[in-house]
Amino acid sequence: MRHHDCLIDGLEQPAADGRTIEMLSPSDGRTIATVARGGAAEVDAAVRAARQALETGPYGRLAAVERGRILSRMAAVVTARHAELAELEAEDCGKPMAQAKTDITCLARYLEFYGGAADKVHGLQIPFLGDWLVTGLREPHGVTAHIIPWNYPAQIFGRSVGAALAMGNACVLKPAEDAGLTCLEVARLALECGLPPGALNVVTGYGEEAGAALSKHDDIDFISFTGSPEIGTAIQTAAAQRTIGCTLELGGKSAQLVFADADLEKALPVIVNAIIQNGGQTCSAGSRVLIEASVFEQVATRLAERFSALRVGTHAMDLDLGPLINRQQEERVRRFVGRAADLPLLAEGRLAPDLPAGGHYAVPRLYGPVPAGHALAQEEVFGPVLVAMPFQDEAEAVRLANGTAFGLVAGLWTRDGGRQMRVARRLRAGQVYVNGYGAGGGIELPFGGVKRSGHGREKGFEALYEFSQLKTIAFNHG
Ligand code: ADP
């Protein structure tokens, strides 16, 4: 049985009290590894190591170009070990292999992107009066805390830690208790790639122990959180208590709008993939499809055909969907399906035969027409459930799309150029795709929410600004 300790100051360290957490396979419930059950003591050691790395260690003195080179080397090593890391990610998260391979490709791409960007963040020069020269320096926050979920550990490691290191922060990462083995592996690889000890520390543990201790630690300077809206509120409260900043990437109930003139051949596979990817356990899942009334029957029928053909199996079977992550997720999805008993079920996929008893499987389901106020049209299921809703005109489409508490991503399908621009501008979401959805992992594209979906932007160059702050220095030269 594999065991992984915390990684603190470049060293593997067990929890002080020796406790561990079993990491279970979502596919069959087997224990695939144990990790240290870190808590307040390990978090404190990790934060101290990060602070020391910045203030007295070699890390704090590294030039931006050197940090970039380390990230670029990490990208190369991740690429060289792609197959092995993809297998680990698939087993740990229960992802179909094809999805896990994509995730590792995205991880390498984040490291490549931020490796290349590290020495390209320029500051400002501001014209000011006559005898002043004013410059704005982009400085790292200092010690950044990264609390991440189990749905895309490798990708979220890449986008969060990659950007923070590129800007010169020292990081403490708390992966989720349900999956995060790739994070530990890649953090170890980072040391081999020349990242000085203490620059990146990983504390494994439960959210209410290690996560809460990290978010409340009095020597962190910034928190990057991806997870549920409820815990997001707790994180922001902890940040507010110490007056530090945070980015929150929370849930969504993202809509895809299909107008009557849409290219359906192109749209349908993308719409289906946007909800079944990772079993619907994706913050940006396209979980509502809004269809112009004149083509509702036609589009719903064609979506239903595709849903009926979907298959669910273990990660190794590599079918359309893998299992859900754990029992709580399985129960959550089952509860939503129970609440959908009054809705027309248009189609459902099928389970592969002879699935292991200990796995957490749910078939994908398509419901419609679903009233706008129904729980399934308003709340995040975080599972493979798509609701279809008709709209009469552009105004109603926008009203329905914006009519939830969330605002993460939206997609719209139409050939009408004017409508593309009008609707894209009126949608309240952090990202809008026109004739597409969530393309290629979106490494370069600023990502984040409005409303209950959170605030702050990750990914792309924008994340480098989130992980830094501007210092204004004004020189009077007389
Ligand atoms: P999910 O519903 O996706 O599991 P959570 O918000 O519960 O989302 O978890 C996301 C991350 O937040 C995980 O790493 C988890 O351990 C951590 N977490 C959970 N509870 C807390 C908490 N009270 N304080 C800090 N972190 C937490």
Side-chain angles (χ1 to χ4, degrees), residues 146-151 174-179 205-216 225-232 234-235 250 325-326 329 332 382:
H146 304 255
I147 301 178
I148 71 169
W150 43 261
N151 56 348
K174 210 298 280 173
E177 49 271 48
D178 288 291
Y206 289 114
E208 60 273 23
E209 296 175 359
L214 180 56
S215 63
K216 292 178 185 152
F225 174 79
T226 304
S228 60
E230 297 71 30
I231 304 301
I235 298 290
L250 311 175
I325 189 80
N326 58 23
Q329 264 294 109
R332 177 190 171 95
F382 224 57

Side-chain angles (χ1 to χ4, degrees), residues 234-317:
I235 298 290
Q236 182 152 0
T237 304
Q241 249 138 22
R242 296 198 41 255
T243 330
I244 60 171
C246 62
T247 54
L248 302 179
E249 202 266 270
L250 311 175
K253 193 73 194 175
S254 298
Q256 302 199 70
L257 285 59
V258 183
F259 288 89
D261 67 341
D263 177 348
L264 289 185
E265 285 308 309
K266 194 170 153 192
L268 293 173
V270 176
I271 291 169
V272 173
N273 187 58
I275 183 62
I276 65 160
Q277 179 177 313
N278 212 41
Q281 302 170 120
T282 304
C283 310
S284 56
S287 51
R288 295 183 295 151
V289 58
L290 313 185
I291 305 167
E292 192 161 355
S294 60
V295 291
F296 184 85
E297 283 302 323
Q298 183 204 349
V299 174
T301 305
R302 291 179 66 180
L303 282 173
E305 280 163 18
R306 287 175 179 269
F307 263 72
S308 308
L310 296 171
R311 296 288 173 270
V312 186
T314 65
H315 65 280
M317 288 175 183

